[in-house]
Amino acid sequence: MKTHAQARRLWLALLVSFMPVASTAALVANAPQGGRIVANAFGDTHIPATPQRVVTLYQGATDSAVALGIMPVGVVDSWLEKPMYRYLRDALADVEHVGLETQPNLEKVAWLDPDLIVATRFRHERIRPLLEMIAPTVATGSVFDFKATLALMAEATGRESRARALMQDWNDRVADFRRQIADKLGDGWPQKAAVIRFKSDHVRIYSTGFAGSILNELGFEQPDSVQDQGWGMKLTSEENIPVMNADVIFVILEPDDPAITRNYRHWRSHPLWQRLDAVRNERVFEVDAVNWIMGGGILAANAMLDDLYTHYSLDDPYREHATPALEMPAETTASLPAASTTSTPSCAGEVSRVSHARDEEPAAC
């Protein structure tokens, strides 16, 4: 009944446009029989037995969908390599985009007629009532916990066995890396690792988040300067270069930005940079921003681990990671409203010589 489906999409779009707040009580009362109840950061969500039309509203959920063999009907734009990261581009070539992670186009989401929306409380708490008016919505607490994202999406879509296989592969790789690096470095292991990111007018040093949590799992330690500093620090003065001191430094770059490249060269030319332990021991590695902080899912995590095997010249017996064939969703809508392109992600906190923040930092910043 295509006419009925189109009418429902129009009704949902109008509802999103004119209702500032929507109660979810009626949704719970009118939930269809069958399916499953999934506990998540938004509470307990009733989900159809086998969702066919999934919309993902953050990067880690999109990555996880591909890893689980799901073809979403809608995804948000990537932060870099727009409109979609290169490592996901082939798999998602024909998928509709629904705006930014920080400001999804709810009208377009409604027109896609999803039966499951995957969000994150960190980004989407304010629009939760509207999302739940459109479709059953599940959410993680953060944007960088790839294991939580994978587990939630697997439970919501009935792909738990595939998620277990992905996590077994990950756990095997982690155990192998820890064994090999301990054997290779001997008394030099564990190393203190600093993850830094150059921007056009400052430098960030991360202590948690996607890369930090993976490095911790692999056995690296944090530099003393960033322990108990929330997500990390922002540095705007070269006088603070000693804060970066560590056994190894991983530098996250955005190679297509000339201003960032100039700032990186400027800091590297400073005498204090030359005194850093990692610099003196030639342990400064430039790494890919998408793999290390932007991707946010199990596929990106494996790509980051690929980088580490390479940087330490370790043999990687698990190098090939097969991506499952994607399951095509139900019929997609041919005519869709244009996505909004006016919003711009913002970063929390004023930049100062040494800025400390205890809240999670937006992944795009």
Side-chain angles (χ1 to χ4, degrees):
M1 303 294 291
K2 193 168 184 178
T3 301
H4 175 73
Q6 290 174 337
R8 178 173 180 270
R9 294 177 192 128
L10 178 60
W11 180 83
L12 283 169
L14 290 172
L15 186 64
V16 169
S17 299
F18 292 107
M19 291 197 66
V21 178
S23 170
T24 61
L27 295 177
V28 175
N30 296 325
Q33 298 301 312
R36 62 176 69 85
I37 300 295
V38 175
N40 62 95
F42 280 174
D44 292 338
T45 301
H46 183 277
I47 297 175
T50 308
Q52 297 294 319
R53 301 180 60 80
V54 180
V55 170
T56 57
L57 295 185
Y58 67 102
Q59 314 302 320
T62 303
D63 176 303
S64 298
V66 174
L68 290 169
I70 301 167
M71 172 73 81
V73 295
V75 298
V76 289
D77 293 345
S78 59
W79 296 120
L80 300 175
E81 301 175 357
K82 292 180 179 293
M84 181 51 60
Y85 299 129
R86 282 188 285 270
Y87 79 99
L88 296 175
R89 201 168 289 171
D90 289 344
L92 302 176
D94 299 322
V95 174
E96 292 289 340
H97 285 244
V98 295
L100 297 175
E101 183 174 308
T102 49
Q103 190 175 346
N105 184 325
L106 298 186
E107 181 183 4
K108 192 165 186 179
V109 172
W111 275 68
L112 286 171
D113 195 22
D115 50 17
L116 176 65
I117 298 172
V118 184
T120 171
R121 184 175 57 196
F122 178 67
R123 298 284 196 213
H124 308 120
E125 179 69 38
R126 289 189 304 144
I127 60 172
R128 170 186 173 183
L130 295 177
L131 294 174
E132 292 175 338
M133 291 289 294
I134 298 170
T137 302
V138 295
T140 55
S142 73
V143 294
F144 67 80
D145 188 342
F146 74 93
K147 295 180 181 180
T149 296
L150 185 70
L152 179 62
M153 290 199 67
E155 182 181 4
T157 60
R159 289 168 171 80
E160 291 92 341
S161 62
R162 173 60 186 166
R164 285 193 294 270
L166 289 166
M167 285 309 306
Q168 184 61 57
D169 175 73
W170 171 259
N171 292 334
D172 289 344
R173 297 193 77 203
V174 168
D176 177 75
F177 180 89
R178 291 179 66 113
R179 177 187 59 78
Q180 286 199 54
I181 198 169
D183 290 345
K184 181 167 185 174
L185 298 183
D187 293 340
W189 180 255
Q191 289 183 336
K192 293 184 183 294
V195 178
I196 65 176
R197 184 182 179 193
F198 280 87
K199 302 297 286 182
S200 60
D201 60 352
H202 66 278
V203 182
R204 301 178 182 194
I205 177 169
Y206 294 95
S207 58
T208 60
F210 184 72
S213 65
I214 291 173
L215 290 175
N216 287 342
E217 183 176 2
L218 293 172
F220 289 89
E221 296 179 349
Q222 292 184 5
D224 296 336
S225 59
V226 296
Q227 292 182 9
D228 302 321
Q229 296 301 328
W231 66 264
M233 294 182 288
K234 295 180 181 180
L235 312 177
T236 58
S237 170
E238 295 88 337
E239 297 172 359
N240 300 127
I241 286 177
V243 171
M244 304 178 191
N245 196 48
D247 299 316
V248 59
I249 295 176
F250 299 105
V251 180
I252 298 172
L253 293 175
E254 296 168 40
D256 296 331
D257 191 320
I260 291 177
T261 301
R262 285 194 299 270
N263 194 37
Y264 179 40
R265 290 173 180 169
H266 173 71
W267 282 62
R268 284 193 312 173
S269 66
H270 197 280
L272 289 176
W273 177 271
Q274 305 304 321
R275 298 179 188 175
L276 295 175
D277 291 344
V279 175
R280 290 189 293 105
N281 294 313
E282 299 182 347
R283 291 176 182 159
V284 178
F285 302 122
E286 297 176 4
V287 297
D288 182 78
V290 173
N291 294 347
W292 282 65
I293 58 172
M294 298 294 186
I298 183 70
L299 299 179
N302 274 294
M304 176 179 164
L305 190 46
D306 289 343
D307 291 344
L308 289 165
Y309 269 101
T310 299
H311 289 313
Y312 284 95
S313 300
L314 303 179
D315 177 44
D316 185 359
Y318 303 93
R319 183 76 189 205
E320 296 300 324
H321 318 294
T323 300
L326 301 188
E327 295 182 11
M328 298 298 293
E331 179 185 3
T332 56
T333 304
S335 178
L336 294 164
S340 172
T341 58
T342 58
S343 59
T344 301
S346 59
C347 302
E350 295 293 331
V351 175
S352 60
R353 289 201 174 197
V354 180
S355 176
H356 305 271
R358 295 190 177 273
D359 294 332
E360 179 187 11
E361 185 186 50
C365 299

